[in-house]
Amino acid sequence: MYPSFKKFSGILIILIGLTLYALLVSRLIEAFFADHIVLQLICYLVAGIVWIFPAYWVLKKTST
């Protein structure tokens, strides 16, 4: 009934990776586009979609 180590490591990778990704993206967007609200919004929207692809790959690899 316990989850396998593979699933646990996948969850851990996603949690740590997504946290680091969010911190890095927010710092970069703020550094480059501090005065442009519209450009920040566009970058955050793109960054919010981009993280889905690596997370999907990790989930796909750990689900089997």
Side-chain angles (χ1 to χ4, degrees):
M1 290 291 171
Y2 294 106
S4 67
F5 179 74
K6 190 176 181 181
K7 288 186 181 187
F8 176 73
S9 64
I11 291 170
L12 197 60
I13 288 170
I14 288 177
L15 286 175
I16 293 170
L18 190 55
T19 302
L20 292 175
Y21 174 76
L23 291 172
L24 178 69
V25 165
S26 64
R27 295 286 254 170
L28 287 174
I29 291 173
E30 185 62 33
F32 286 113
F33 305 114
D35 298 331
H36 304 286
I37 301 297
V38 175
L39 287 175
Q40 282 185 359
L41 177 65
I42 292 169
C43 289
Y44 280 119
L45 288 172
V46 170
I49 293 171
V50 168
W51 73 268
I52 294 171
F53 300 107
Y56 174 76
W57 182 80
V58 170
L59 287 174
K60 188 175 177 182
K61 291 292 183 185
T62 59
S63 67
T64 57

